[in-house]
Amino acid sequence: MKICTGIAPVNIAVIKYWGKKDEKLILPMNDSISGTLSTDEMHAKTSVALSPDFTEDKLWLNGKEVSIHQPRVAVCLSELRKLAQQKKSGGDMVHWKMHICSENNFPTAAGLASSAAGYSCLVFTIAHALGLDSSQVSHIARQGSGSACRSMFGGFVRWRALPSELEGKQSDGEESEDLRRKQSEASNAEQIISEAYWGSMRVIILVVNDQAKSTSSTDGMQRTTLTSTLYTHRVHTVVPERCERMETALNEKDFATFAQLTMQDSNQFHACCLDTYPPIVYMNDTSHAVVRFVHEFNTVAGGTKVAYTFDAGPNACLYLLEDSVPLLLSTLVQYFPASSEISVPYVRGLKYSTTPSPLQLPSFTPQPAGLLQYLISTRIGSGPKILDDIPNNHLVNEQGAPNHLTS
Ligand SMILES: Nc1ncnc2c1ncn2[C@@H]1O[C@H](COP(=O)(O)OP(=O)(O)OP(=O)(O)O)[C@@H](O)[C@H]1O
Ligand SMILES: C[C@@](O)(CCOP(=O)(O)OP(=O)(O)O)CC(=O)O
């Protein structure tokens, strides 16, 4: 019997992934770039037990058994076992069944990138258990959920689309097994900026008080690729150039350019969603109020101090530098007050000792209390980690049954 436990981070894209060239392999239409958030505030945690005595693979998510036969979970397990066999790694364990327990210390499927952290954690932890090099398996995490490949590394991460020379199909229209394997291995993630390089980068997540389930990313992006003409322009013309400019801004620690590109890319992604037919609407009135707030804050602050970005949901993610956080937080709390009924801290996570007076924003009206549920204050952090040396930390016990939820 072998048991391993790992944790993995959430990532939030600053140049968005949206749309696939290949639904099965999850090959993206364009490169994307994201920041990896610290696991101190938000993480997925996975334990895997392998034993020659287990008769079937099993999976528990947040304490409940779920089907191990979901195609995306199944493909991750079979690819990891195949790779371990090829590399002659893991010995007999390659043939043993696994019991996997996974949980998130933040809401699952609420548009907070739980699938990215979740699949990254599952693939990283099993790769470690089978003795594989976990820096070489982001293409497997990608097959769980595209954005999961970026959670395999810390700092800022770029996920590359397939290089054009590997795009071809064979003359009979059928790709060979060999070409498919090469294609799959060629679209992977790599760290472009370490978490230490721009150590003052901070992130604040604004959880919007409306978690109505809208179109899933998987379905939404499929519809956009089929129907949006703006999207064609985005993929072929805008994103390639924007990714290069984003890498330069990160390398030069040029916050104003980083922030402008981040906001423009979020806006264009949501414009493509609206240009989808029938349209997809992820941002709500509160999201749009946050956009207006950020622009007004930057105007009054006399420079671009804060950037917003929105994924496939109404929650906002703000990128800013450490020295702007106290003023941003005090102003935000003033203009987006907590509900009077809130029984938990409104601002969670990283604490700051100073509370400056809020900026006065003449063109922005204070919003009704409770539009935001809570805020998570965090920073850019490192990639997944194995936590086997912490006692009593596993989510699964020696009998292969789930332990009680621990975090
Ligand atoms: N810790 C985990 N381990 C394994 N799978 C997970 C884990 N967390 C989430 N998932 C998978 O991801 C699914 C949720 O993905 P979904 O894309 O709906 O939500 P999200 O990732 O929170 O939102 P978004 O992708 O819009 O940011 C879950 O139903 C489950 O299949
Ligand atoms: C808007 C996004 O968050 C979309 C994420 O899409 P997913 O990675 O959840 O989609 P699938 O590959 O179908 O699982 C942008 C991004 O993270 O780059």
Side-chain angles (χ1 to χ4, degrees):
M1 147 85 90
K2 177 166 181 102
I3 304 185
C4 277
T5 295
I7 57 169
V10 165
N11 73 80
I12 302 288
V14 290
I15 304 290
K16 304 291 185 196
Y17 148 58
W18 195 249
K20 303 180 181 73
K21 273 197 181 114
D22 184 306
E23 291 289 328
K24 192 146 177 273
L25 287 179
I26 311 200
L27 298 174
M29 292 290 280
N30 58 263
D31 285 20
S32 54
I33 297 176
S34 56
T36 295
L37 307 193
S38 166
T39 48
D40 291 349
E41 281 77 36
M42 294 166 81
H43 61 251
K45 179 174 173 184
T46 303
S47 294
V48 57
L50 297 105
S51 162
D53 300 331
F54 295 161
T55 53
E56 53 181 340
D57 291 328
K58 280 174 174 267
L59 171 65
W60 287 265
L61 179 55
N62 294 324
K64 280 209 188 94
E65 187 166 0
V66 296
S67 169
I68 192 88
H69 302 296
Q70 304 167 53
R72 288 175 171 207
V73 174
V75 83
C76 290
L77 296 194
S78 76
E79 288 295 305
L80 284 162
R81 284 177 165 135
K82 219 190 292 173
L83 189 64
Q85 265 175 322
Q86 248 171 38
K87 304 259 180 207
K88 304 204 181 331
S89 169
D92 283 348
M93 283 192 297
V94 174
H95 306 290
W96 295 356
K97 299 292 181 197
M98 302 180 194
H99 286 190
I100 307 159
C101 283
S102 201
E103 65 180 42
N104 304 318
N105 71 344
F106 60 95
T108 299
L112 293 175
S114 69
S115 58
Y119 280 104
S120 153
C121 202
L122 182 121
V123 169
F124 183 88
T125 308
I126 297 173
H128 178 84
L130 293 176
L132 290 166
D133 177 350
S134 52
S135 69
Q136 301 293 317
V137 291
S138 74
H139 66 285
I140 300 183
R142 186 198 74 227
Q143 292 172 73
S145 180
S147 53
C149 69
R150 297 187 311 236
S151 276
M152 297 295 277
F153 301 95
F156 282 89
V157 179
R158 182 163 178 167
W159 170 19
R160 293 190 188 272
L162 202 59
S164 52
E165 64 271 18
L166 278 179
E167 268 182 23
K169 294 195 183 227
Q170 292 195 330
S171 51
D172 58 3
E174 288 294 311
E175 288 115 333
S176 68
E177 191 62 21
D178 190 41
L179 177 62
R180 298 288 285 166
R181 188 182 48 75
K182 282 198 189 127
Q183 286 179 327
S184 180
E185 287 172 6
S187 176
N188 45 40
E190 61 174 327
Q191 182 182 73
I192 52 170
I193 296 288
S194 77
E195 53 275 30
Y197 181 77
W198 204 354
S200 55
M201 186 65 87
R202 296 288 179 272
V203 174
I204 297 172
I205 310 267
L206 314 185
V207 181
V208 171
N209 211 352
D210 168 2
Q211 296 300 345
K213 188 80 196 160
S214 58
T215 318
S216 73
S217 299
T218 306
D219 295 347
M221 64 176 80
Q222 205 172 9
R223 210 154 87 203
T224 305
T225 54
L226 290 174
T227 61
S228 167
T229 48
L230 172 57
Y231 175 75
T232 311
H233 172 65
R234 167 174 170 76
V235 165
H236 297 296
T237 311
V238 179
V239 172
E241 190 239 359
R242 212 171 251 174
C243 281
E244 299 320 308
R245 286 174 57 209
M246 181 58 89
E247 270 211 41
T248 306
L250 288 165
N251 270 305
E252 293 177 353
K253 300 186 194 169
D254 172 357
F255 186 80
T257 306
F258 163 85
Q260 184 174 337
L261 290 170
T262 297
M263 293 188 275
Q264 286 177 320
D265 201 71
S266 173
N267 293 340
Q268 191 181 63
F269 155 51
H270 290 278
C272 288
C273 290
L274 267 191
D275 190 45
T276 299
Y277 192 81
I280 309 166
V281 180
Y282 286 125
M283 292 168 67
N284 66 12
D285 289 351
T286 306
S287 318
H288 289 290
V290 170
V291 169
R292 280 186 280 110
F293 169 86
V294 168
H295 285 292
E296 184 63 12
F297 182 91
N298 285 337
T299 303
V300 174
T304 312
K305 305 288 183 199
V306 186
Y308 54 76
T309 183
F310 296 82
D311 279 344
N315 300 323
C317 172
L318 307 183
Y319 277 94
L320 69 172
L321 295 179
E322 183 180 19
D323 56 6
S324 304
V325 178
L327 185 60
L328 181 276
L329 280 178
S330 67
T331 312
L332 192 65
V333 167
Q334 167 99 352
Y335 283 91
F336 287 86
S339 155
S340 56
E341 280 151 34
I342 193 167
S343 56
V344 287
Y346 189 42
V347 183
R348 306 179 186 180
L350 271 186
K351 296 273 177 289
Y352 292 80
S353 51
T354 53
T355 313
S357 319
L359 270 189
Q360 293 310 307
L361 309 179
S363 310
F364 189 81
T365 316
Q367 301 294 300
L371 283 190
L372 300 179
Q373 209 176 334
Y374 56 92
L375 283 54
I376 306 171
S377 157
T378 182
R379 57 185 297 162
I380 296 295
S382 48
K385 292 187 255 300
I386 294 297
L387 299 177
D388 285 349
D389 39 5
I390 302 177
N392 305 321
N393 190 37
H394 298 307
L395 299 175
V396 63
N397 63 27
E398 295 284 328
Q399 287 71 48
N403 282 325
H404 285 301
L405 297 185
T406 54
S407 65

